[in-house]
Amino acid sequence: METQAGPFDFDFIVVGSGFGGSVSAHRLVEKGYRVAVMEMGRRWTPENLPRTSWSLHRWFWRPKLALRGFFNMRFFRHVTILHGCAVGGGSVTYACTSLRPPDKVWDMGSWAGLADWKTEMPQHYETASRMLGVAENTILGPADKLLKQVAEAVGVGQTFYRTNVAVFQAAEGQPGGQTVPDPYFGGEGPERTTCNACGGCMMGCRHGAKNTLDKNYLYFAEKHGARVFPETQVVDVRPLRGRADGSAGYEVRTVRSTSWLNRGARKFTCRGVVFSASALGSMELLFHLKDKGSLPHISDQLGKRVRTNSESLIGVRVPGSRDDLSKGVAIGSGAYIDEHTHIEAVRYPAGSDAMSMLATILTGGRPGPTRVLLWLKNLLVSSLFHPIKTFRILKPFGWARESVILLCMQALEGHIDMCWERPWFWPFRKFLVSRGAKVPTYIPKANEFAQKFAQLTGGTAMSMLPEILFNVPGTAHCLGGCVIASSASQGVVDYRHRVFGYKNMYVCDGSVVAANLGVNPSLTITALSERAMSFIPPAQTSQWNDAAEEQTGIAQTGV
Ligand SMILES: Cc1cc2nc3c(=O)[nH]c(=O)nc-3n(C[C@H](O)[C@H](O)[C@H](O)COP(=O)(O)OP(=O)(O)OC[C@H]3O[C@@H](n4cnc5c(N)ncnc54)[C@H](O)[C@@H]3O)c2cc1C
Ligand code: SF4
C-alpha cells in the first residue's frame, strides 16, 4: 500500500494475541486496516494440546529448555506470576471465569475521573460477553458443592454463586460432547462441541468447548484478513524516518521465539502499533525499548503500580475422596467470605498432578524464617506421627482428583513496582525486577476458610511452597505497569489507551488496568480493549495523527 509517508507492510502491527490483542486485531480489520499479529507462543489445536500436565514440554513455556507449551511461571522477589503464551494468549490456559468487577474500581487508581467509566463500560462488557460467549455455569461439580457447604457452615452461604464462564455448555438435560455448527455468530464462526465437565480448561480444552480467542475474536480477525505470525517474538519497535514521535510509522523487528540458533530475524513496517503482550510482556518489551533508545519517550511511570489482585492460592486435599474433585469446569463457583475477600473453587483435570510439586501443608505464623521453621516442624511432626497420612497428602499422583484449589482475591489497594536493572549476580544484561513493599503472602481469613474446609471434608489444608519458603505470593492476574492516567507524569497511556509521547501507538492489555479489580480480569481487559478500539476511525478516514491527550484538573484518588 502506497501512502503519503511511503509503503508499509501493514497499517497496524499488534504485539501479542491475548485478550487485548485479539480484540484489537478483529476491530481494526473490521475498520478496514491491514493488520498483522505477532505472537511469541505456538498455535494450539485439540490434537496437539497435552493430555496432562506431566507433558511438561507441551504445557510449560521455556523455549531455551525445549519446553514449548502455553503456560509460564516467572519468579520475582515480590511475586510469582503465572501467565499464558500462545496464539490466543492467556485464553488457552485460562479457567474461563468471566466476571465484572464492582463499580467502585472506576473510582480508584489513576483512571478515576478520566472518563465516565460507569456509564461507558456496561456496553463494552455486553459486547465482550457476547463475543466470548459468557454464560452462567450450569455444571456444579463436587468441588463446587463442597464450597457451597463450607460457605454455609461459616455463615456466608448466601454469597455462594455460580461463576460466569466462557464455555459452550449443553442445553439443560442434554449430554456434553455434542458437536454442532457455530452456535454463537449466526453460522459465521467455527463449529463447537458442548462441555463434558472434564475440568481440563487450564490444560487447554481438547474438546472444543472452551471459548478461546481463536474461536471468536482472533478467528474473525484472521477470517477477514489479519495475518497471525505464531512463534514470532517482537524485539524492537522504532520510529521510521527519524520522526521521533512515530508520525512517519514504525519499524518492527522480530525473531523466531522457538529457535535458539537460527533466530530468523525479520523486519516489518507499519503506521501504528498496538502493544498487547500482557502486563508482564508489554512492560518487559517497553522497558527494553526505552532503555536501548528505540522508544526513549515512553513515560518514566512505566513499571509503576503493578497489581497482583491481592491474591493467595491455597487448597484442600482429601486423600481417598469418593468424589472426583476434578470434575466440573475449572472454576465453577465462588463465595465472598467478607466484603473484600472473594474465594473461588478451582481444579485441574484428573491426571494433571504436576502442580502438586508446589503444594505443601498449610502453615500459619509470621512470614519469614520463623514460618519456614514452623512449616518444617509441622512436616516433621506429621511425618513421624502420621506417616501414611502425610505420604497420601504429599504424593503427587492423584492430586488433581483429590484436591480443591481455593483462589482467594481481595479488592484492596496495594501494588509493587517493576524496574529494569542489572542484577548483582548477573551483570551482563538488564532484567525486569520487582521493587516496593512486600505484598501480603497470605490472607489469614482465607487460611481459616481452608482449614474449615479441610475439617468438614476430612481433608488437609494446603498452601503454595514458594509462599512459605520465600514469602512470595503467586498470582495468575498480574495487572498494571502501563496504567491509564491523566498525563505522562502519572501513567503510560491516556484514557483512550494512546501512549504518551508517540503517535498511533496504543497499549491494549492487562497492563493498562489502574485498580485492583478483585475478580478475574480477562473480561475487563476485553471490554477496555473494545472501548479503546471504538475510538479509532475507519481506515478510509484515518488522518494517522492520533496522539495522547494530557488532562489537567482531574481529581486523582487512590493513586
Ligand atoms: C492458569 C491461569 C488461569 C487463569 N484463569 C483466568 C480466569 O479464569 N479468568 C480470567 O479472567 N483470567 C484468568 N487468567 C488470567 C488471564 O489469562 C489474563 O489476565 C489474560 O490472559 C491477560 O490478557 P492480556 O490481553 O493482557 O494478555 P495475554 O492474554 O497474556 O496475551 C499476551 C500475549 O502476548 C504474547 N507476547 C508477550 N511478549 C511478546 C513479544 N515480545 N512478542 C510477541 N508476543 C508476545 C504472549 O505470548 C501472550 O500470548 C488465568 C491465567 C492463568 C495463567
Ligand atoms: S471442562 Fe473440559 S470440556 Fe469443558 S471447557 Fe473445560 S476443558 Fe473443555
mmCIF file of all heavy atoms in Angstrom, residues 212-228:
data_model
loop_
_atom_site.group_PDB
_atom_site.id
_atom_site.type_symbol
_atom_site.label_atom_id
_atom_site.label_comp_id
_atom_site.label_asym_id
_atom_site.label_seq_id
_atom_site.Cartn_x
_atom_site.Cartn_y
_atom_site.Cartn_z
ATOM 1 N N THR A 212 -12.078 -20.096 23.584
ATOM 2 C CA THR A 212 -10.774 -19.436 23.497
ATOM 3 C C THR A 212 -10.807 -18.400 22.365
ATOM 4 O O THR A 212 -11.667 -18.457 21.488
ATOM 5 C CB THR A 212 -9.671 -20.483 23.222
ATOM 6 O OG1 THR A 212 -10.155 -21.372 22.218
ATOM 7 C CG2 THR A 212 -9.345 -21.292 24.458
ATOM 8 N N LEU A 213 -9.860 -17.485 22.377
ATOM 9 C CA LEU A 213 -9.897 -16.365 21.425
ATOM 10 C C LEU A 213 -9.791 -16.823 19.974
ATOM 11 O O LEU A 213 -10.287 -16.157 19.070
ATOM 12 C CB LEU A 213 -8.782 -15.375 21.777
ATOM 13 C CG LEU A 213 -9.006 -14.677 23.119
ATOM 14 C CD1 LEU A 213 -7.716 -14.063 23.639
ATOM 15 C CD2 LEU A 213 -10.103 -13.614 23.014
ATOM 16 N N ASP A 214 -9.143 -17.958 19.743
ATOM 17 C CA ASP A 214 -9.037 -18.450 18.363
ATOM 18 C C ASP A 214 -10.377 -18.989 17.849
ATOM 19 O O ASP A 214 -10.470 -19.443 16.706
ATOM 20 C CB ASP A 214 -7.925 -19.513 18.239
ATOM 21 C CG ASP A 214 -8.103 -20.635 19.244
ATOM 22 O OD1 ASP A 214 -8.834 -20.448 20.235
ATOM 23 O OD2 ASP A 214 -7.513 -21.715 19.046
ATOM 24 N N LYS A 215 -11.409 -18.935 18.698
ATOM 25 C CA LYS A 215 -12.743 -19.364 18.252
ATOM 26 C C LYS A 215 -13.694 -18.177 18.153
ATOM 27 O O LYS A 215 -14.867 -18.328 17.827
ATOM 28 C CB LYS A 215 -13.311 -20.398 19.214
ATOM 29 C CG LYS A 215 -12.498 -21.673 19.206
ATOM 30 C CD LYS A 215 -13.168 -22.776 19.979
ATOM 31 C CE LYS A 215 -12.520 -24.108 19.706
ATOM 32 N NZ LYS A 215 -11.080 -24.123 19.944
ATOM 33 N N ASN A 216 -13.227 -16.998 18.484
ATOM 34 C CA ASN A 216 -14.101 -15.819 18.363
ATOM 35 C C ASN A 216 -13.305 -14.642 17.798
ATOM 36 O O ASN A 216 -13.114 -14.548 16.579
ATOM 37 C CB ASN A 216 -14.815 -15.496 19.680
ATOM 38 C CG ASN A 216 -13.924 -15.717 20.901
ATOM 39 O OD1 ASN A 216 -12.933 -15.029 21.060
ATOM 40 N ND2 ASN A 216 -14.271 -16.680 21.745
ATOM 41 N N TYR A 217 -12.781 -13.757 18.648
ATOM 42 C CA TYR A 217 -12.124 -12.541 18.143
ATOM 43 C C TYR A 217 -11.029 -12.841 17.117
ATOM 44 O O TYR A 217 -11.019 -12.284 16.024
ATOM 45 C CB TYR A 217 -11.507 -11.763 19.306
ATOM 46 C CG TYR A 217 -12.477 -10.942 20.112
ATOM 47 C CD1 TYR A 217 -12.841 -11.315 21.407
ATOM 48 C CD2 TYR A 217 -13.016 -9.766 19.597
ATOM 49 C CE1 TYR A 217 -13.716 -10.537 22.157
ATOM 50 C CE2 TYR A 217 -13.896 -8.984 20.340
ATOM 51 C CZ TYR A 217 -14.238 -9.371 21.623
ATOM 52 O OH TYR A 217 -15.102 -8.606 22.357
ATOM 53 N N LEU A 218 -10.100 -13.709 17.503
ATOM 54 C CA LEU A 218 -8.955 -13.940 16.611
ATOM 55 C C LEU A 218 -9.388 -14.708 15.364
ATOM 56 O O LEU A 218 -8.865 -14.479 14.262
ATOM 57 C CB LEU A 218 -7.871 -14.710 17.379
ATOM 58 C CG LEU A 218 -6.477 -14.627 16.797
ATOM 59 C CD1 LEU A 218 -5.972 -13.197 16.691
ATOM 60 C CD2 LEU A 218 -5.494 -15.437 17.647
ATOM 61 N N TYR A 219 -10.364 -15.592 15.550
ATOM 62 C CA TYR A 219 -10.906 -16.352 14.410
ATOM 63 C C TYR A 219 -11.420 -15.368 13.352
ATOM 64 O O TYR A 219 -11.094 -15.483 12.165
ATOM 65 C CB TYR A 219 -12.038 -17.252 14.917
ATOM 66 C CG TYR A 219 -12.744 -18.012 13.831
ATOM 67 C CD1 TYR A 219 -12.274 -19.260 13.420
ATOM 68 C CD2 TYR A 219 -13.876 -17.488 13.212
ATOM 69 C CE1 TYR A 219 -12.921 -19.964 12.412
ATOM 70 C CE2 TYR A 219 -14.523 -18.179 12.202
ATOM 71 C CZ TYR A 219 -14.042 -19.416 11.812
ATOM 72 O OH TYR A 219 -14.677 -20.104 10.813
ATOM 73 N N PHE A 220 -12.210 -14.373 13.783
ATOM 74 C CA PHE A 220 -12.771 -13.425 12.819
ATOM 75 C C PHE A 220 -11.697 -12.489 12.256
ATOM 76 O O PHE A 220 -11.750 -12.115 11.088
ATOM 77 C CB PHE A 220 -13.914 -12.626 13.452
ATOM 78 C CG PHE A 220 -15.148 -13.471 13.603
ATOM 79 C CD1 PHE A 220 -15.635 -13.806 14.847
ATOM 80 C CD2 PHE A 220 -15.795 -13.975 12.481
ATOM 81 C CE1 PHE A 220 -16.752 -14.622 14.980
ATOM 82 C CE2 PHE A 220 -16.914 -14.792 12.594
ATOM 83 C CZ PHE A 220 -17.396 -15.115 13.855
ATOM 84 N N ALA A 221 -10.748 -12.108 13.103
ATOM 85 C CA ALA A 221 -9.668 -11.248 12.598
ATOM 86 C C ALA A 221 -8.969 -11.948 11.434
ATOM 87 O O ALA A 221 -8.773 -11.372 10.359
ATOM 88 C CB ALA A 221 -8.678 -10.944 13.721
ATOM 89 N N GLU A 222 -8.627 -13.232 11.629
ATOM 90 C CA GLU A 222 -7.922 -13.977 10.574
ATOM 91 C C GLU A 222 -8.817 -14.213 9.372
ATOM 92 O O GLU A 222 -8.391 -14.068 8.231
ATOM 93 C CB GLU A 222 -7.449 -15.331 11.121
ATOM 94 C CG GLU A 222 -6.165 -15.228 11.891
ATOM 95 C CD GLU A 222 -5.473 -16.573 12.079
ATOM 96 O OE1 GLU A 222 -5.863 -17.289 13.015
ATOM 97 O OE2 GLU A 222 -4.545 -16.881 11.306
ATOM 98 N N LYS A 223 -10.072 -14.562 9.666
ATOM 99 C CA LYS A 223 -11.006 -14.850 8.570
ATOM 100 C C LYS A 223 -11.146 -13.633 7.650
ATOM 101 O O LYS A 223 -11.287 -13.753 6.452
ATOM 102 C CB LYS A 223 -12.361 -15.229 9.173
ATOM 103 C CG LYS A 223 -13.403 -15.623 8.164
ATOM 104 C CD LYS A 223 -14.625 -16.219 8.851
ATOM 105 C CE LYS A 223 -15.705 -16.519 7.805
ATOM 106 N NZ LYS A 223 -16.846 -17.205 8.378
ATOM 107 N N HIS A 224 -11.055 -12.443 8.250
ATOM 108 C CA HIS A 224 -11.258 -11.230 7.456
ATOM 109 C C HIS A 224 -9.960 -10.543 7.059
ATOM 110 O O HIS A 224 -9.966 -9.375 6.694
ATOM 111 C CB HIS A 224 -12.222 -10.286 8.183
ATOM 112 C CG HIS A 224 -13.585 -10.901 8.349
ATOM 113 N ND1 HIS A 224 -14.220 -11.008 9.558
ATOM 114 C CD2 HIS A 224 -14.398 -11.503 7.443
ATOM 115 C CE1 HIS A 224 -15.381 -11.625 9.387
ATOM 116 N NE2 HIS A 224 -15.507 -11.938 8.124
ATOM 117 N N GLY A 225 -8.852 -11.258 7.196
ATOM 118 C CA GLY A 225 -7.638 -10.742 6.565
ATOM 119 C C GLY A 225 -6.438 -10.491 7.446
ATOM 120 O O GLY A 225 -5.352 -10.219 6.924
ATOM 121 N N ALA A 226 -6.574 -10.548 8.790
ATOM 122 C CA ALA A 226 -5.386 -10.314 9.628
ATOM 123 C C ALA A 226 -4.407 -11.468 9.420
ATOM 124 O O ALA A 226 -4.816 -12.616 9.249
ATOM 125 C CB ALA A 226 -5.779 -10.237 11.099
ATOM 126 N N ARG A 227 -3.108 -11.139 9.437
ATOM 127 C CA ARG A 227 -2.099 -12.213 9.355
ATOM 128 C C ARG A 227 -1.516 -12.455 10.730
ATOM 129 O O ARG A 227 -1.038 -11.521 11.379
ATOM 130 C CB ARG A 227 -0.983 -11.808 8.393
ATOM 131 C CG ARG A 227 -1.378 -12.099 6.948
ATOM 132 C CD ARG A 227 -0.189 -11.950 6.047
ATOM 133 N NE ARG A 227 0.846 -12.969 6.296
ATOM 134 C CZ ARG A 227 2.073 -12.883 5.820
ATOM 135 N NH1 ARG A 227 2.438 -11.836 5.095
ATOM 136 N NH2 ARG A 227 2.952 -13.829 6.056
ATOM 137 N N VAL A 228 -1.624 -13.689 11.202
ATOM 138 C CA VAL A 228 -1.073 -14.027 12.515
ATOM 139 C C VAL A 228 0.263 -14.729 12.297
ATOM 140 O O VAL A 228 0.349 -15.678 11.520
ATOM 141 C CB VAL A 228 -2.047 -14.934 13.308
ATOM 142 C CG1 VAL A 228 -1.435 -15.341 14.644
ATOM 143 C CG2 VAL A 228 -3.376 -14.216 13.537
#
